[in-house]
Amino acid sequence: MLMDYLERWLTPNISLTDFNDRTIVLRYALHLSGRMALVAWGLIVLLHLLFHSLGLLPYSVWQGILIGTVMGIPLTITLGVLATIVVGRSITALADARLEYLRQSRTDMLSGLPNRRAFTEALASDERGVLLLLDIDRFKQVNDRYGHLAGDEVIVAVAREFAGLAGDHHLVARIGGEEFAVFFRDMTIEEAKRAADEARQAVETTVISAGGQRLNVTISGGLAMIAAGRDYAAAYSAADRALYLAKGSGRNRIVDEGELATLTTTNPPMTEPSAQAG
């Protein structure tokens, strides 16, 4: 009980981010050290009174209290400030390391985009918009013909194009080997399809320098709405089917879920959705 009270009284509220501000840290150190000095002074008084009552003091109780005050309080404050600053720096370093670890665990290191985990976490449960799943066409052939370093360059080039498309308002992520996802906020499916098709055309016309070669690639994509009463999993499934049909109907195109019935009739699937074999 006493320890809980002392902890609440000694320690002011301070967040991890406050330790990045030297002024706040110094003010915190002075505050903490001042209160520690008061506690130390109280203990000095109590111990001198106790020793005096036992006849163990070689001087008067008031002389002892005066000597303890003059020597103890400045020493307590000085040590408290130094210790708090050192501990504060250590806390800041640990907090920064933790934030960097969290950033890296949610970042695809090749493309620099958020990964699948970060993408799904960033989607609030009540968000409304359009989900785009896209895939680089015949990517395995790029790896087989030009090498995996060339494949990496292709991924980086496509990621750069869609990062520019997403800007600060929309979300874009690399969710698999050659697979990407974009979430368009505040867009209708028609608007999202126009934006995705513009990016598709830009990728198609971009000459990529990869592995000492200059090559072009295309992408295919599938679109689905995330709306009231329809969660991310349902939208993902619909967008995945649309992407599969974009692949099956010739590649290098964007298909929205409204086209599923028509394209399924004209291009019946040979395998299950998510096969996406390039």
Side-chain angles (χ1 to χ4, degrees), residues 102-159:
L102 290 175
R103 185 192 67 80
Q104 291 188 11
S105 71
R106 288 163 172 77
T107 301
D108 173 61
M109 302 311 294
L110 175 60
S111 65
L113 295 175
N115 58 21
R116 180 189 291 269
R117 176 183 179 182
F119 184 78
T120 54
E121 287 180 353
L123 283 175
S125 59
D126 59 347
E127 290 229 59
R128 303 290 177 263
V130 182
L131 175 66
L132 166 66
L133 298 182
L134 61 98
D135 186 272
I136 301 173
D137 296 327
R138 298 185 173 89
F139 183 72
K140 185 177 184 300
Q141 295 179 17
V142 174
N143 280 334
D144 292 344
R145 183 173 180 182
Y146 301 105
H148 288 278
L149 289 178
D152 289 348
E153 292 294 334
V154 168
I155 287 173
V156 170
V158 173

Side-chain angles (χ1 to χ4, degrees), residues 18-65:
D18 290 333
F19 281 101
N20 291 318
D21 188 317
R22 293 184 179 181
T23 303
I24 294 177
V25 171
L26 181 58
R27 187 163 58 243
Y28 171 80
L30 290 172
H31 176 99
L32 179 58
S33 300
R35 294 197 171 191
M36 288 173 61
L38 286 177
V39 173
W41 182 81
L43 291 174
I44 289 171
V45 171
L46 289 175
L47 287 173
H48 275 83
L49 290 175
L50 174 62
F51 290 164
H52 176 71
S53 67
L54 297 174
L56 299 176
L57 284 182
Y59 42 75
S60 71
V61 66
W62 300 114
Q63 286 177 319
I65 292 174

Side-chain angles (χ1 to χ4, degrees), residues 223-234:
L223 289 162
M225 290 291 299
I226 297 180
R230 190 188 204 193
D231 61 11
Y232 171 77

